[in-house]
Amino acid sequence: MKKNNQIIPLSRPDISDREIKSVLEVLRTPHLSLGPKLVEFEVKFANYLGIKHAIAVNSGTSGLHLSIRCLQIGEGDAVFTTPFSFIASANCMLFEGATPIFVDIEENTFNIDHSKITDYINRNCYSSSGNLFDRETGKKVKAILPVHVFGQPCDMAEIKKIADKYKLYIIEDACEAIGAEINGQKVGTLGIVGVFAFYPNKQMTTGEGGMIVTNDDFIAETCKCLRNQGRGNNGAWLAHEQLGFNYRIGDINCAIGIAQLSRIEEMLEKRSRVAELYNEKLNGIIEKQKTRLNVKKSWFVYIVCLPSHYTRKDRDNILYQLSKNNIGCNNYFPPIHLQPYYQKEFGYERGDFPITESVSERTVALPFHNNLTAQEIDSVVSCLKNLLGLTAFLNILNLFISHISNV
């Protein structure tokens, strides 16, 4: 197999002269934090989503944490969520002493399976005084935290039915899904609170940063207070009304965000074109995440899923060989419940969430960013096809050797 001489990175931010100019403008002012760019970014982001409030913070993780805290979810409480996600979507509960209740995912979309939430409630929960409790732990179930994995919207209509029936909050993790829509409504606006993230590999970036969005005045005011060390929003600088955090985002980051947001439709379209090229070249060759009807996916990463007979060892070898060929790649995502801390803290074992584990062991993230060229995609696809053929040949050879040895 001929090695690629040029490195094809897994991701790359799309930074134009507009972002650079915006940063320089901020550097020429006295306002590097809590300045006018913060307010401008929040207003423009809220307008983009068609929502009342947007509160900028220094990361999506911070946004998820403050959402949990504002809803007074803590010790003795539990939240339904997915084990197939970046770990922050579960860690945010642990920060406040709450417990995630994992349920398995849909095999085709990789999103949380709403039917399994219902199954869990029917098997393991009871209602008392209008509240839902986990029978085994005694914890009060307060919310559902769906994650729009890889920019693919969850089945929010069904999730909302469950939330309404049992009086549960919906906290949308839309950190990978800016611009995604369900029946024309943007994700992040479908629950009581939503959270976005702007890490450099996301559809838009601020370098580091996140955004909490809500129509609830109390949540918005509380998040503004908590992100700034608990200082009152109209009080003195050193007047701390609550136990808060340093989750502020700088005006330089906000300036980048404003410029990126002004280009968001252009950037989302670029990503769609790159995904379409991949789809054309990999059609019928390998499985991909399925998109449900009446949704608009926002492409965060490009994930392929190896056939079900492939093992984790096969997948890891393909990742190794792609890397040797200077092709950026990764496994998205290792199951949260099998992370060492979660196994130690909660006793999770392999087999607890079989669909998540099966998908996780077979997924490969290929290079994906706005300006990936057709030539680079050809190189990636050619290398992947060769590796798939080689893996299939070796698997057949091993079966043959095993058969001969047993004769």
Side-chain angles (χ1 to χ4, degrees):
M1 188 184 305
K2 186 178 179 181
K3 183 176 180 179
N4 293 308
N5 293 321
Q6 186 176 0
I7 295 174
I8 304 176
L10 180 59
S11 66
R12 173 177 287 163
D14 185 350
I15 301 297
S16 71
D17 289 342
R18 189 179 303 180
E19 286 83 351
I20 295 168
K21 181 182 178 182
S22 297
V23 168
L24 291 175
E25 287 175 354
V26 172
L27 289 173
R28 294 188 179 102
T29 76
H31 303 294
L32 299 187
S33 184
L34 297 176
K37 290 297 178 184
L38 169 65
V39 177
E40 183 182 351
F41 185 31
E42 291 175 334
V43 169
K44 288 184 173 178
F45 198 88
N47 289 340
Y48 170 70
L49 290 182
I51 201 164
K52 191 173 181 181
H53 301 288
I55 305 94
V57 288
N58 59 5
S59 70
T61 304
S62 300
L64 289 168
H65 179 201
L66 292 188
S67 298
I68 292 289
R69 190 175 181 89
C70 284
L71 294 172
Q72 299 180 343
I73 298 171
E75 292 283 351
D77 298 328
V79 177
F80 287 115
T81 193
T82 171
F84 188 68
S85 173
F86 182 61
I87 199 167
S89 59
N91 280 356
C92 64
M93 303 166 203
L94 303 189
F95 297 159
E96 292 298 308
T99 302
I101 300 176
F102 293 125
V103 296
D104 217 340
I105 61 173
E106 298 170 333
E107 192 166 11
N108 293 328
T109 68
F110 309 161
N111 285 148
I112 190 169
D113 188 336
H114 64 85
S115 69
K116 290 185 170 62
I117 300 176
T118 299
D119 289 346
Y120 187 98
I121 291 172
N122 291 338
R123 289 195 321 267
N124 302 309
C125 296
Y126 67 93
S127 295
S128 177
S129 302
N131 295 310
L132 189 68
F133 292 88
D134 188 300
R135 187 174 286 108
E136 182 177 345
T137 65
K139 293 181 181 294
K140 183 191 292 186
V141 183
K142 279 196 170 181
I144 304 172
L145 194 154
V147 180
H148 302 297
V149 174
F150 308 145
Q152 160 70 40
C154 296
D155 192 340
M156 293 302 295
E158 293 299 325
I159 289 171
K160 192 173 187 306
K161 287 179 186 177
I162 298 169
D164 290 344
K165 182 176 180 179
Y166 296 103
K167 299 179 182 178
L168 305 177
Y169 297 121
I170 295 177
I171 304 164
E172 279 185 273
D173 183 339
C175 290
E176 300 173 1
I178 184 170
E181 298 178 0
I182 303 174
N183 293 320
Q185 186 173 359
K186 288 186 169 59
V187 302
T189 67
L190 300 162
I192 190 167
V193 63
V195 180
F196 294 85
F198 310 125
Y199 190 71
N201 66 344
K202 296 295 197 296
Q203 293 92 328
M204 64 169 277
T205 186
T206 58
E208 287 278 8
M211 191 75 78
I212 305 162
V213 298
T214 184
N215 284 313
D216 187 286
D217 294 342
F218 172 79
I219 291 175
E221 289 305 305
T222 304
C223 285
K224 288 178 183 178
C225 173
L226 293 180
R227 74 173 171 191
N228 189 23
Q229 301 285 16
R231 294 181 175 107
N233 295 318
N234 297 311
W237 178 246
L238 296 179
H240 302 270
E241 298 176 356
Q242 300 188 51
L243 176 64
F245 308 89
N246 184 359
Y247 286 170
R248 295 187 300 265
I249 182 173
D251 270 42
I252 291 172
N253 305 90
C254 291
I256 297 171
I258 293 165
Q260 290 264 292
L261 190 60
S262 72
R263 302 172 54 220
I264 188 65
E265 296 304 333
E266 162 208 333
M267 294 193 296
L268 292 176
E269 179 58 32
K270 283 183 177 180
R271 298 177 87 83
S272 291
R273 285 200 297 269
V274 172
E276 285 169 9
L277 279 174
Y278 266 128
N279 287 341
E280 289 171 11
K281 296 177 186 303
L282 291 171
N283 187 39
I285 296 169
I286 199 162
E287 298 174 36
K288 297 178 285 293
Q289 182 188 25
K290 299 295 190 299
T291 301
R292 58 173 42 89
L293 296 175
N294 300 319
V295 306
K296 175 185 175 184
K297 180 175 180 177
S298 174
W299 286 92
F300 164 47
V301 287
Y302 193 87
I303 302 292
V304 295
C305 195
L306 304 178
S308 58
H309 61 274
Y310 277 60
T311 66
R312 181 171 54 177
K313 183 178 178 182
D314 292 331
R315 191 277 311 276
D316 290 347
N317 183 58
I318 286 174
L319 290 174
Y320 174 73
Q321 294 296 335
L322 285 170
S323 297
K324 276 187 65 176
N325 279 270
N326 291 329
I327 295 173
C329 56
N330 214 331
N331 59 319
Y332 272 56
F333 287 107
I336 297 175
H337 69 283
L338 295 182
Q339 295 284 359
Y341 178 80
Y342 279 78
Q343 288 189 294
K344 178 181 176 182
E345 186 72 14
F346 299 104
Y348 290 117
E349 298 178 352
R350 188 168 295 279
D352 285 342
F353 303 101
I355 299 175
T356 291
E357 293 165 27
S358 174
V359 169
S360 173
E361 290 177 355
R362 296 182 290 117
T363 48
V364 175
L366 299 178
F368 189 74
H369 58 82
N370 297 10
N371 298 310
L372 197 66
T373 66
Q375 183 178 359
E376 288 172 322
I377 292 171
D378 282 340
S379 295
V380 173
V381 170
S382 175
C383 186
L384 180 62
K385 284 181 178 178
N386 288 334
L387 292 172
L388 289 171
L390 179 61
T391 302
F393 171 76
L394 291 174
N395 285 340
I396 292 171
L397 181 62
N398 287 334
L399 284 173
F400 176 75
I401 292 171
S402 176
H403 175 72
I404 294 296
S405 299
N406 291 327
V407 171

